[in-house]
Structures are given as C-alpha cells and as structure tokens.
Amino acid sequence: MEGFLVATAVSFAVIFVAELGDKSQLMALTFATRFKMIPVLIGITVATAIVHLVSVGIGYGLGATLPTGWINLVAALAFLAFGAWTLRGDKLTDDEKTKAERSTGSAILAVGGAFFLAELGDKTMLATITLATQYGWFGTWLGSTVGMVAADALAIVVGRMLGRHLPEKAIKYGAAALFAIFGIWLLVEAIIELR
C-alpha cells in the first residue's frame, strides 16, 4: 500500500507541475471558451487516462526487464531533458489552435480526440513512462492522470478568473526546477547503484 501511495503522490506532483504552461493547458482554455467546462474535463480525463495507460505499460515493461541502475541513469537524463524542454516552452501551433476553436459535434469527443493526439509523444507521456520504470504501474497511472486533469482544470479556472494572464515565467522555471531536482536525485541513485 505504501508503494502505491508513493507512486500516486510522486506521479501526481511531477505531472501536475510538468503540465503547468504546457500546450495542453492552452488547448483546455481554448476548448473551455467554446464548450462547457464539464464536457471539456471529461474529454481531457478520458484521453489522458488512455495515453497514460499506454505510457505506464511501456514504462513498467522496461522497468521489469532492465537493471535498476541503468534505468535510474536513463530516467535521470530524461528528467534533466524534460527540465530543459520546459524552459524552452510549449506553444499551440496555428493548426492546433484552429482545430480547438472550430471543433464541431460532441464536446467530449472533440476534446478527447484533440487531447489524445496532442499528448502522444508529449513530455507528460514521456515523464509517465519514466515514472513507471521506478514505481508501480497503477499508482503511476492514477497519479499522472489525476495530476494532468487537475492542472488543466486549474488552467481553465485561473485562466477565466485572470483573463488568461498567468505568470508564465514563474510557472516555467518552477516546473523546470522540479524536473531538475528529480533528475539529480535519480542520477545520484544511479551512480550509487552502478558503482
């Protein structure tokens, strides 16, 4: 039970922070201006749950087949890269923005489809794979899914309240710092195990 709680808490924290300032939050804001908030959140939740289930499957499979020292080393490098990626920033392309603004049909299907495609290969998917190599698959899946949905819900609420003026630099630097901390922590563990 303790391992499950740790996996859930760590995954929630990492993905929540990683999602801050991500293009998915921009998509959530855009969809929320067109559709009601609940269908938007349902679409986000379904898409995220599916993408992160695939992610933890990949990560858990890798974790079961590779030695932990090397996994920690690769995970550390991945987290440091995610930190740099976060500093670089994420923007919606004109095509992604147009799709979000002009979606027709069911709001849940439109949002879910857009989020599913946007999250494939995104840093949160890669971070979830990395976390699943270290922790149990179910806790990682649950924590990462709830973390992403919570961050996107926060973006919708705060964006509406503040007129979409979020402190972008502070969010970006905070998320990058969290990734760097996890990366350094895993690097130290890898060095200890590989000696």
Tab-separated table of all heavy atoms in Angstrom, residues 28-56:
chain	number	residue	atom	x	y	z
A	28	ALA	N	-6.939	23.369	-23.353
A	28	ALA	CA	-8.051	23.312	-22.397
A	28	ALA	C	-8.736	24.673	-22.298
A	28	ALA	O	-9.970	24.759	-22.297
A	28	ALA	CB	-7.555	22.862	-21.020
A	29	LEU	N	-7.946	25.735	-22.226
A	29	LEU	CA	-8.509	27.091	-22.181
A	29	LEU	C	-9.310	27.398	-23.441
A	29	LEU	O	-10.406	27.963	-23.369
A	29	LEU	CB	-7.383	28.122	-22.043
A	29	LEU	CG	-6.872	28.379	-20.652
A	29	LEU	CD1	-5.592	29.200	-20.703
A	29	LEU	CD2	-7.911	29.089	-19.819
A	30	THR	N	-8.760	27.028	-24.577
A	30	THR	CA	-9.441	27.298	-25.847
A	30	THR	C	-10.759	26.545	-25.931
A	30	THR	O	-11.787	27.114	-26.312
A	30	THR	CB	-8.528	26.914	-27.037
A	30	THR	OG1	-7.297	27.632	-26.906
A	30	THR	CG2	-9.173	27.254	-28.360
A	31	PHE	N	-10.732	25.246	-25.581
A	31	PHE	CA	-11.971	24.460	-25.609
A	31	PHE	C	-12.988	24.999	-24.608
A	31	PHE	O	-14.192	24.985	-24.866
A	31	PHE	CB	-11.693	22.980	-25.327
A	31	PHE	CG	-11.249	22.208	-26.536
A	31	PHE	CD1	-10.014	21.583	-26.557
A	31	PHE	CD2	-12.062	22.090	-27.649
A	31	PHE	CE1	-9.599	20.858	-27.660
A	31	PHE	CE2	-11.653	21.362	-28.764
A	31	PHE	CZ	-10.426	20.749	-28.773
A	32	ALA	N	-12.517	25.462	-23.451
A	32	ALA	CA	-13.427	25.964	-22.420
A	32	ALA	C	-14.121	27.266	-22.837
A	32	ALA	O	-15.162	27.608	-22.286
A	32	ALA	CB	-12.685	26.160	-21.108
A	33	THR	N	-13.552	27.980	-23.793
A	33	THR	CA	-14.238	29.176	-24.284
A	33	THR	C	-15.355	28.801	-25.244
A	33	THR	O	-16.256	29.597	-25.484
A	33	THR	CB	-13.263	30.139	-25.011
A	33	THR	OG1	-12.706	29.479	-26.147
A	33	THR	CG2	-12.174	30.612	-24.070
A	34	ARG	N	-15.304	27.593	-25.790
A	34	ARG	CA	-16.309	27.148	-26.760
A	34	ARG	C	-17.353	26.215	-26.147
A	34	ARG	O	-18.510	26.231	-26.533
A	34	ARG	CB	-15.603	26.457	-27.923
A	34	ARG	CG	-16.527	25.939	-28.983
A	34	ARG	CD	-15.754	25.549	-30.221
A	34	ARG	NE	-16.563	24.835	-31.170
A	34	ARG	CZ	-17.409	25.393	-32.010
A	34	ARG	NH1	-17.579	26.687	-31.989
A	34	ARG	NH2	-18.104	24.666	-32.853
A	35	PHE	N	-16.927	25.362	-25.243
A	35	PHE	CA	-17.809	24.356	-24.638
A	35	PHE	C	-17.901	24.580	-23.133
A	35	PHE	O	-17.069	25.264	-22.544
A	35	PHE	CB	-17.279	22.942	-24.893
A	35	PHE	CG	-17.106	22.581	-26.341
A	35	PHE	CD1	-15.848	22.309	-26.852
A	35	PHE	CD2	-18.196	22.506	-27.189
A	35	PHE	CE1	-15.683	21.954	-28.184
A	35	PHE	CE2	-18.042	22.150	-28.524
A	35	PHE	CZ	-16.780	21.879	-29.022
A	36	LYS	N	-18.875	23.917	-22.515
A	36	LYS	CA	-18.996	23.961	-21.052
A	36	LYS	C	-17.823	23.222	-20.421
A	36	LYS	O	-17.253	22.307	-21.007
A	36	LYS	CB	-20.316	23.332	-20.618
A	36	LYS	CG	-21.517	24.159	-21.044
A	36	LYS	CD	-22.802	23.547	-20.553
A	36	LYS	CE	-23.964	24.446	-21.005
A	36	LYS	NZ	-25.240	23.984	-20.530
A	37	MET	N	-17.502	23.626	-19.205
A	37	MET	CA	-16.313	23.107	-18.534
A	37	MET	C	-16.369	21.594	-18.281
A	37	MET	O	-15.371	20.897	-18.459
A	37	MET	CB	-16.109	23.853	-17.212
A	37	MET	CG	-14.815	23.522	-16.524
A	37	MET	SD	-14.600	24.636	-15.125
A	37	MET	CE	-13.404	23.760	-14.194
A	38	ILE	N	-17.507	21.062	-17.868
A	38	ILE	CA	-17.603	19.627	-17.525
A	38	ILE	C	-17.324	18.730	-18.731
A	38	ILE	O	-16.508	17.808	-18.624
A	38	ILE	CB	-18.978	19.304	-16.872
A	38	ILE	CG1	-19.139	20.080	-15.556
A	38	ILE	CG2	-19.139	17.808	-16.648
A	38	ILE	CD1	-18.087	19.787	-14.509
A	39	PRO	N	-17.943	18.938	-19.903
A	39	PRO	CA	-17.588	18.099	-21.049
A	39	PRO	C	-16.111	18.217	-21.447
A	39	PRO	O	-15.501	17.233	-21.867
A	39	PRO	CB	-18.495	18.589	-22.168
A	39	PRO	CG	-19.629	19.261	-21.488
A	39	PRO	CD	-19.070	19.820	-20.222
A	40	VAL	N	-15.553	19.409	-21.301
A	40	VAL	CA	-14.132	19.591	-21.614
A	40	VAL	C	-13.289	18.734	-20.672
A	40	VAL	O	-12.380	18.012	-21.106
A	40	VAL	CB	-13.724	21.081	-21.527
A	40	VAL	CG1	-12.213	21.244	-21.607
A	40	VAL	CG2	-14.408	21.898	-22.627
A	41	LEU	N	-13.602	18.770	-19.376
A	41	LEU	CA	-12.837	17.978	-18.407
A	41	LEU	C	-13.032	16.476	-18.602
A	41	LEU	O	-12.097	15.697	-18.410
A	41	LEU	CB	-13.191	18.386	-16.983
A	41	LEU	CG	-12.662	19.758	-16.559
A	41	LEU	CD1	-13.171	20.133	-15.174
A	41	LEU	CD2	-11.146	19.786	-16.597
A	42	ILE	N	-14.237	16.064	-19.000
A	42	ILE	CA	-14.471	14.633	-19.271
A	42	ILE	C	-13.623	14.192	-20.463
A	42	ILE	O	-12.968	13.138	-20.426
A	42	ILE	CB	-15.967	14.343	-19.515
A	42	ILE	CG1	-16.749	14.515	-18.212
A	42	ILE	CG2	-16.163	12.927	-20.076
A	42	ILE	CD1	-18.262	14.475	-18.387
A	43	GLY	N	-13.603	14.992	-21.517
A	43	GLY	CA	-12.784	14.671	-22.687
A	43	GLY	C	-11.308	14.589	-22.342
A	43	GLY	O	-10.597	13.668	-22.773
A	44	ILE	N	-10.834	15.544	-21.560
A	44	ILE	CA	-9.434	15.553	-21.127
A	44	ILE	C	-9.130	14.306	-20.298
A	44	ILE	O	-8.106	13.645	-20.491
A	44	ILE	CB	-9.122	16.823	-20.304
A	44	ILE	CG1	-9.148	18.058	-21.206
A	44	ILE	CG2	-7.775	16.705	-19.595
A	44	ILE	CD1	-9.115	19.382	-20.445
A	45	THR	N	-10.030	13.965	-19.376
A	45	THR	CA	-9.819	12.821	-18.492
A	45	THR	C	-9.740	11.512	-19.267
A	45	THR	O	-8.842	10.691	-19.037
A	45	THR	CB	-10.929	12.747	-17.429
A	45	THR	OG1	-10.956	13.977	-16.703
A	45	THR	CG2	-10.717	11.589	-16.477
A	46	VAL	N	-10.662	11.296	-20.190
A	46	VAL	CA	-10.679	10.047	-20.966
A	46	VAL	C	-9.407	9.930	-21.809
A	46	VAL	O	-8.743	8.884	-21.810
A	46	VAL	CB	-11.947	9.966	-21.843
A	46	VAL	CG1	-11.868	8.803	-22.821
A	46	VAL	CG2	-13.189	9.841	-20.962
A	47	ALA	N	-9.066	10.995	-22.522
A	47	ALA	CA	-7.868	10.961	-23.367
A	47	ALA	C	-6.611	10.740	-22.531
A	47	ALA	O	-5.746	9.926	-22.882
A	47	ALA	CB	-7.750	12.250	-24.166
A	48	THR	N	-6.506	11.446	-21.424
A	48	THR	CA	-5.337	11.328	-20.556
A	48	THR	C	-5.240	9.924	-19.970
A	48	THR	O	-4.150	9.338	-19.925
A	48	THR	CB	-5.409	12.367	-19.422
A	48	THR	OG1	-5.450	13.664	-20.006
A	48	THR	CG2	-4.223	12.270	-18.496
A	49	ALA	N	-6.355	9.374	-19.528
A	49	ALA	CA	-6.347	8.033	-18.943
A	49	ALA	C	-5.840	7.000	-19.955
A	49	ALA	O	-5.035	6.121	-19.603
A	49	ALA	CB	-7.744	7.657	-18.459
A	50	ILE	N	-6.250	7.124	-21.203
A	50	ILE	CA	-5.821	6.166	-22.234
A	50	ILE	C	-4.339	6.338	-22.554
A	50	ILE	O	-3.580	5.355	-22.566
A	50	ILE	CB	-6.684	6.315	-23.500
A	50	ILE	CG1	-8.123	5.888	-23.201
A	50	ILE	CG2	-6.106	5.487	-24.650
A	50	ILE	CD1	-9.119	6.247	-24.294
A	51	VAL	N	-3.912	7.571	-22.793
A	51	VAL	CA	-2.500	7.809	-23.130
A	51	VAL	C	-1.587	7.390	-21.983
A	51	VAL	O	-0.551	6.754	-22.199
A	51	VAL	CB	-2.262	9.291	-23.519
A	51	VAL	CG1	-0.774	9.601	-23.627
A	51	VAL	CG2	-2.958	9.616	-24.827
A	52	HIS	N	-1.979	7.698	-20.754
A	52	HIS	CA	-1.121	7.357	-19.625
A	52	HIS	C	-1.155	5.863	-19.311
A	52	HIS	O	-0.178	5.335	-18.782
A	52	HIS	CB	-1.483	8.201	-18.410
A	52	HIS	CG	-1.043	9.627	-18.562
A	52	HIS	ND1	-0.983	10.505	-17.505
A	52	HIS	CD2	-0.633	10.342	-19.638
A	52	HIS	CE1	-0.560	11.678	-17.933
A	52	HIS	NE2	-0.349	11.591	-19.235
A	53	LEU	N	-2.228	5.168	-19.659
A	53	LEU	CA	-2.255	3.715	-19.501
A	53	LEU	C	-1.233	3.069	-20.436
A	53	LEU	O	-0.485	2.167	-20.041
A	53	LEU	CB	-3.659	3.168	-19.768
A	53	LEU	CG	-3.872	1.693	-19.459
A	53	LEU	CD1	-3.591	1.396	-17.983
A	53	LEU	CD2	-5.301	1.288	-19.801
A	54	VAL	N	-1.177	3.557	-21.670
A	54	VAL	CA	-0.160	3.074	-22.617
A	54	VAL	C	1.235	3.410	-22.088
A	54	VAL	O	2.144	2.577	-22.122
A	54	VAL	CB	-0.391	3.694	-24.022
A	54	VAL	CG1	0.780	3.399	-24.950
A	54	VAL	CG2	-1.697	3.193	-24.621
A	55	SER	N	1.398	4.609	-21.564
A	55	SER	CA	2.701	5.059	-21.054
A	55	SER	C	3.199	4.179	-19.917
A	55	SER	O	4.361	3.770	-19.906
A	55	SER	CB	2.611	6.504	-20.565
A	55	SER	OG	2.202	7.363	-21.589
A	56	VAL	N	2.330	3.913	-18.938
A	56	VAL	CA	2.783	3.093	-17.803
A	56	VAL	C	3.033	1.656	-18.238
A	56	VAL	O	3.903	0.994	-17.686
A	56	VAL	CB	1.820	3.140	-16.584
A	56	VAL	CG1	1.731	4.537	-16.017
A	56	VAL	CG2	0.465	2.582	-16.893
